[in-house]
């Protein structure tokens, strides 16, 4: 690893000033679980690393006006263990519980993981299915970007050069709604998913018809993707096994996976259909 300067600003204003001064020579670090590895592999070689650890106001986790607000520095482990999240959005806690190992979850942060934008990560499909939005902040102000619009390409996002992911806002589920996240792991439990799927389903009051549905997948394309073709075949339709199977098959239209040591591209496409169906089944079973 090359030598670098390490700065510990105490406010967002100082972070923004450092980013403006350093430009592409500066990199923000939160938990460091991704950046440090990339620096060791010399994939990135910043002359200065700017730590967010001393910045106040980025570790809050709260509920307000029908949304759960998550600060960018909230760790994966804190989100997994949160009584608020477990009580109001258990699917999100379950998603973060499946990330890597306890050691990684303790260090890794919500905002840092999203900014890293690895398409095989667990959280993005759940955020997309839940209709979350990401708070992007810079010296020029703050803007909100929908989760499904944030990931633009392989390891690329909507973040501008001097912006950070300062928070996430996730709507609470409405009445007669259920959610589920599933990942396919043929290797070790701490590995990235071969395929993952998240589903949020809203039923009618009789729980016989699908009023609304949101489905997202990970590890099947250059970015996490929303399976709109699958959603379209389900809205307004009765809850039937054949409908869920058709939605799974439709999910294949959104896949373009690479072949790697976790499986061939064609295998991942087939598994996407299976896990979308299973996620839908679990989400329906989770309807209160």
């Amino acid at each position: 690893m090359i030598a670098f300067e390490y700065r510990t600003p105490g406010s967002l204003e100082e972070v923004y000033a450092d980013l403006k001064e350093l430009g592409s020579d500066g990199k923000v670090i939160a938990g460091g679980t991704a950046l440090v590895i990339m620096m060791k592999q010399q994939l990135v070689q910043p002359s200065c690393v700017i730590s967010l650890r001393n910045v106040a106001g980025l570790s809050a986790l709260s509920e307000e006006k029908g949304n759960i607000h998550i600060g960018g520095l909230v760790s994966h482990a804190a989100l997994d263990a949160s009584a608020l999240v477990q009580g109001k959005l258990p699917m999100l806690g379950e998603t973060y519980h499946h990330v890597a190992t306890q050691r990684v979850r303790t260090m890794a942060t919500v905002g840092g993981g999203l900014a890293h934008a690895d398409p095989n990560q667990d959280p993005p499909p759940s955020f997309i299915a839940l209709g979350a939005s990401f708070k992007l902040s810079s010296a020029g102000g703050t803007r909100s970007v929908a989760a499904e619009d944030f990931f633009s390409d392989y390891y690329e996002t909507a973040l501008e050069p001097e912006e950070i992911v300062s928070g996430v806002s996730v709507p609470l589920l409405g009445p007669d709604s259920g959610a589920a996240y599933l990942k396919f792991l043929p290797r070790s439990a701490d590995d990235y998913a071969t395929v993952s799927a998240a589903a949020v389903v809203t039923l009618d009051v009789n729980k016989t018809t699908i009023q609304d549905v949101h489905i997202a997948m990970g590890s099947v394309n250059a970015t996490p993707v929303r399976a709109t073709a699958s959603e379209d075949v389900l809205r307004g339709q009765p809850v039937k096994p054949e409908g869920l199977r058709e939605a799974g098959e439709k999910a294949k239209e959104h896949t373009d996976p690479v072949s790697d040591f976790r499986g061939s591209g064609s295998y991942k496409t087939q598994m996407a259909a299976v896990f979308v169906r299973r996620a839908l089944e679990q989400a329906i079973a989770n309807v209160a």
Side-chain angles (χ1 to χ4, degrees), residues 60-71 74 78-79 82-93 96 110 127 130-135 167-173:
L61 184 57
S62 63
E63 178 188 355
E64 183 181 359
K65 297 181 180 179
N67 291 268
I68 288 181
H69 299 286
I70 307 164
V74 172
L79 195 63
S82 166
L84 172 63
V85 172
Q86 293 296 344
K88 298 295 183 74
L89 278 177
M91 176 258 231
L92 191 57
Y96 274 91
V110 171
F127 280 131
L130 287 165
S133 58
F134 302 155
K135 182 180 176 183
V168 178
S169 181
V170 190
L172 297 176
L173 297 182

Side-chain angles (χ1 to χ4, degrees), residues 128 132 134 143-152 156-159 224:
I128 292 171
F134 302 155
R143 62 191 179 108
S144 180
V145 175
E148 65 181 286
D149 298 327
F150 178 73
F151 305 97
S152 57
E156 295 183 10
T157 71
L159 276 169

